[in-house]
Amino acid sequence: MASHRSTAGYAEEAPDLFVRYEARDAAAIHAPWAEFLPKPPARILDIGAGTGRDAAWFARTGHSVLAVEPVDALRTGAAKLHPEPGIIWLDDALPDLTATRARGETFDMILMHAVWMHLTEKERAAGMANVASLLKPGGRLFTSQRHGPIPEGRRMFDISGEETIALAAPLGLANLYCERTGSIQAENMARGIEWTKLVFEKAS
């Protein structure tokens, strides 16, 4: 797949990202919205799976995961680092998710961790419609959005939780949880970086 503007900067930083992302505990990252996570075994779609940290955690806890990652250096490295049999790796990207949708699957849970803020307004509208179509009735979407200084070489937009809630509502995605908090990483905290975490449920 051709490099997408939304992934700018990630291939070059891949070795550093493996060190940084894998050093963080997945259980701690998902603790704020843990009460909304599905009980295993669920079918999970991890969009922008990065180094595979979250996909591997979900696989180890009894779920099966389709891990979608458009950056070759991240996807191939993640597949080697996390050889869990419960993970399938796929080269695909928002907003179209062409290869994902071609599989004809729907999911109990979709995770978009630190992905959404890379998309333009037009891409977000198309992406949310495609994501909604991949959720089972009663399935849940988990998304986190970054706020603060934009790293050099990255394409990023500051999107409010309210905007995402408004975009999801007409697609039958009801907001269950919305919280904006400071980063738990000391370096990011010092730079004033904050995150909005959101959970949606598709009408059944």
Side-chain angles (χ1 to χ4, degrees):
M1 177 172 291
S3 178
H4 195 272
R5 285 189 301 277
S6 65
T7 62
Y10 280 94
E12 296 80 1
E13 290 181 44
D16 179 53
L17 294 178
F18 273 99
V19 174
R20 281 170 42 210
Y21 290 0
E22 294 295 325
R24 299 185 59 204
D25 178 44
I29 288 165
H30 296 292
W33 53 27
E35 66 183 285
F36 301 103
L37 293 172
K39 300 283 186 284
R43 185 70 176 136
I44 296 175
L45 172 61
D46 185 359
I47 300 173
T51 64
R53 176 199 62 210
D54 297 330
W57 182 69
F58 283 117
R60 287 195 302 270
T61 52
H63 301 290
S64 63
V65 185
L66 179 64
V68 167
E69 176 51 58
V71 178
D72 292 342
L74 290 175
R75 189 181 62 259
T76 55
K80 287 178 190 159
L81 185 63
H82 299 294
E84 280 80 1
I87 306 173
I88 295 170
W89 285 91
L90 185 65
D91 178 7
D92 203 8
L94 282 162
D96 298 333
L97 295 170
T98 307
T100 306
R101 290 187 293 128
R103 293 171 61 88
E105 274 191 90
T106 52
F107 298 85
D108 301 299
M109 171 184 166
I110 297 177
L111 175 66
M112 299 192 299
H113 180 54
V115 171
W116 199 239
M117 68 277 177
H118 293 302
L119 304 178
T120 65
E121 186 176 2
K122 185 178 177 184
E123 288 169 341
R124 293 194 298 273
M128 188 63 81
N130 287 326
V131 167
S133 75
L134 290 163
L135 263 182
K136 290 180 181 175
R140 289 176 176 174
L141 166 66
F142 295 72
T143 181
S144 62
Q145 306 169 178
R146 182 187 184 279
H147 313 280
I150 298 169
E152 192 176 344
R154 295 265 178 93
R155 187 184 79 166
M156 226 176 258
F157 306 94
D158 197 5
I159 309 156
S160 70
E162 290 73 23
E163 181 194 315
T164 306
I165 290 167
L167 189 62
L171 298 166
L173 300 177
N175 181 239
L176 303 182
Y177 174 84
C178 177
E179 186 178 21
R180 181 162 170 160
T181 57
S183 175
I184 58 173
Q185 289 178 282
E187 178 192 345
N188 285 348
M189 204 185 298
R191 292 166 61 209
I193 292 169
E194 295 186 333
W195 290 87
T196 296
K197 287 180 177 281
L198 300 134
V199 181
F200 299 91
E201 185 171 278
K202 186 172 180 175
S204 51

